[in-house]
Amino acid sequence: MASNESKERAYRKLESSSLLQQTMFRYMLEAQAASEEGKLAWVTSGFPVEIPLAMNLGVSYPEQYTAVVGSQKVGPEVCGFAEELGYSQELCSYARAGIGSTDRPDDSPLGGLPEPQVLLACNNICGTVLRWYEAVSKLTGAPVFLLDTPPVQRRQPSHHREYVRTGLEELIDFLGEEFDTSLEEDKLQEVASNSTKAIDLWTKSLEACKHKPSPLNCADRFLAMAPVVSMRGKEHILEYYEALLNEVEGRIQQGMGAIRDEKIRLLWDNIPPWFSIYKFFNGLAKRGVVFPADTYTHAWTGSLEGEDILNRMVDIYSNVYLNRGLRAKVDKMAGLIEEYHLDGFVMFSVRSCKRYSLGQLVSKDLVTERTGVPGVVIEGDMVDSRLFNEAQIETRIDALIEMIE
């Protein structure tokens, strides 16, 4: 029966998905246990998580949880809990869903996140995270620590590097005082090594998508990135990324793509609409459209290994995609289009994520001018489906496909 069903689908399901589910289930259990022990930190996705992990804390990622809220198609309801507290619908839907689920966990998916003891934010992904965590702090009583990373334009000045490094040292002091613990160098080396190995395996799976047909589609990567976002530094996630890479390489050897009839290869820019991720990408797969690359899942790169890990952290966490200027974003997109042999690109202008979406109209023209391939900007949101006009988006995607064909 399963074989007949797979023949009817335009896309292929990853066999390693079951191991991914087990890995994420363990993540939730460990976070719950850490909260009960009074050692849970909520962290932003671009936070140097290796430090709290090396100081024996558990971690939870509110952004990842709110993506789950979106995928469960209850974004409007959970965002509405925050709106009832007075937060505007113009505020980021990750923040609204995070605040709403903290205020009303019993009415939210999975009963909300386990209660935090500290809130660790880094503004290398956006500035809203600080206000979001301050709101959560009022609800939970957990203190907030902000790692401030000034935006990077071209080369990072030495005084910027010293400033960020001082922030990392203050983080170690903050966690030491809050949890009566200290950072052991050997433990930090071990966590940094595990983080680097996971990112290396993940990067190899991403780069394998340069092959035709692409062994992974966009929805595959957005789900598979979950452990490297939430558990990099943990040794046990290496098993999952080894299994994923083996499956990806096996598909390449067999000439098997993520979709059955690859005709058009596109780049995706921005967070996906979580409430429609399967419908959107698998719907286009039926028309032969695959997305071998995107700007989001390529954000976790680089090695943390070396004699001075704090300096490596300054490099990695200061230079994330969203903390760099428009020129760097255009360079990134043009490079992916060339390296992955893409025919065009889709830029998702997310109403909630202003940091990611700012400048997309200008970027679109610059990327087309440099690469010669067409692109389109579609508008919507990643969690709040009230801000997603499916018919309008379909019309714009159709126009892009017609230009390419």
Side-chain angles (χ1 to χ4, degrees):
M1 184 63 182
S3 176
N4 290 335
E5 286 180 354
S6 64
K7 287 179 181 177
E8 296 170 0
R9 291 173 177 156
Y11 59 94
R12 294 184 170 92
K13 184 178 178 181
L14 287 164
E15 294 180 1
S16 54
S17 296
S18 59
L19 184 54
L20 173 61
Q21 291 175 358
Q22 294 172 28
T23 304
M24 296 311 296
F25 185 61
R26 176 172 173 172
Y27 158 71
M28 292 189 291
L29 291 179
E30 289 182 344
Q32 184 63 48
S35 177
E36 292 172 359
E37 293 174 7
K39 294 182 176 180
L40 181 66
W42 284 12
V43 299
T44 53
S45 60
F47 197 86
V49 69
E50 290 81 6
I51 289 177
L53 286 182
M55 297 179 79
N56 298 314
L57 301 182
V59 294
S60 282
Y61 285 74
E63 292 155 73
Q64 196 170 64
Y65 172 75
T66 52
V68 172
V69 170
S71 68
Q72 295 291 310
K73 305 184 189 302
V74 292
E77 180 181 354
V78 180
C79 287
F81 299 156
E83 292 162 21
E84 289 172 5
L85 294 175
Y87 293 96
S88 168
Q89 197 178 109
E90 297 299 320
L91 181 65
C92 165
S93 57
Y94 274 178
R96 278 182 287 140
I99 295 168
S101 60
T102 304
D103 185 56
R104 294 175 59 175
D106 292 341
D107 298 321
S108 303
L110 306 172
L113 283 178
E115 185 176 348
Q117 279 69 54
V118 292
L119 304 163
L120 308 179
C122 183
N123 59 2
N124 56 0
I125 56 169
C126 77
T128 302
V129 291
L130 176 59
R131 300 305 179 203
W132 169 6
Y133 277 28
E134 286 179 343
V136 171
S137 179
K138 291 180 181 177
L139 294 170
T140 64
V144 179
F145 179 90
L146 173 68
L147 178 65
D148 186 22
T149 52
V152 176
Q153 296 286 346
R154 301 188 181 183
R155 296 192 63 177
Q156 188 178 25
S158 59
H159 65 276
H160 276 202
R161 294 181 54 80
E162 293 169 7
Y163 175 73
V164 177
R165 183 179 175 110
T166 298
L168 292 172
E169 293 168 347
E170 290 175 349
L171 167 65
I172 295 168
D173 292 341
F174 170 78
L175 294 178
E177 292 174 5
E178 288 292 328
F179 296 98
D180 191 24
T181 186
S182 60
L183 179 64
E184 302 295 332
E185 179 64 23
D186 289 350
K187 182 66 175 178
L188 183 60
Q189 290 281 358
E190 177 189 333
V191 171
S193 176
N194 288 335
S195 186
T196 299
K197 289 174 184 174
I199 289 172
D200 182 57
L201 289 167
W202 174 236
T203 302
K204 287 177 179 175
S205 289
L206 295 180
E207 292 183 343
C209 297
K210 294 175 183 176
H211 288 266
K212 292 183 179 180
S214 174
L216 296 174
N217 200 1
C218 216
D220 299 325
R221 293 191 303 277
F222 272 105
L223 298 179
M225 74 175 183
V228 85
V229 173
S230 60
M231 287 176 278
R232 62 185 184 281
K234 296 264 189 175
E235 185 176 8
H236 70 85
I237 71 168
L238 300 179
E239 179 185 2
Y240 167 64
Y241 283 110
E242 288 168 352
L244 176 65
L245 182 58
N246 286 337
E247 186 171 5
V248 164
E249 290 177 340
R251 283 185 170 186
I252 291 172
Q253 290 172 1
Q254 298 173 55
M256 182 187 298
I259 70 172
R260 296 187 182 280
D261 186 18
E262 179 178 307
K263 297 175 182 176
I264 295 175
R265 295 166 63 90
L266 299 179
L267 173 72
W268 175 265
D269 180 51
N270 216 324
I271 307 168
W274 292 110
F275 47 84
S276 185
I277 187 168
Y278 289 116
K279 183 178 181 182
F280 182 84
F281 290 110
N282 292 339
L284 286 172
K286 295 176 183 175
R287 303 172 65 181
V289 178
V290 68
F291 290 80
D294 61 88
T295 55
Y296 193 89
T297 64
H298 284 252
W300 286 270
T301 59
S303 169
L304 284 172
E305 291 187 297
E307 292 185 1
D308 192 335
I309 294 177
L310 292 191
N311 264 351
R312 292 297 303 134
M313 287 183 175
V314 171
D315 289 333
I316 298 291
Y317 290 104
S318 294
N319 286 278
V320 301
Y321 182 69
L322 293 183
N323 205 41
R324 299 181 61 81
L326 188 63
R327 182 191 298 272
K329 293 180 180 178
V330 172
D331 288 346
K332 180 74 172 179
M333 291 184 66
L336 289 172
I337 288 169
E338 180 180 353
E339 293 172 16
Y340 287 74
H341 315 292
L342 307 180
D343 304 304
F345 58 95
V346 177
M347 307 181 83
F348 187 35
S349 181
V350 178
R351 183 170 175 177
S352 283
C353 193
K354 296 172 178 60
R355 181 83 164 259
Y356 215 130
S357 306
L358 186 67
Q360 279 183 316
L361 290 176
V362 176
S363 301
K364 172 181 171 293
D365 292 339
L366 291 174
V367 171
T368 293
E369 182 179 317
R370 190 181 301 184
T371 63
V373 304
V376 67
V377 177
I378 59 175
E379 298 165 353
D381 194 74
M382 66 269 201
V383 172
D384 193 341
S385 57
R386 292 172 294 183
L387 307 172
F388 191 83
N389 187 324
E390 187 173 331
Q392 183 184 71
I393 288 173
E394 186 175 334
T395 299
R396 293 185 182 178
I397 295 290
D398 285 348
L400 175 66
I401 292 174
E402 286 178 10
M403 279 192 282
I404 294 172
E405 290 177 334

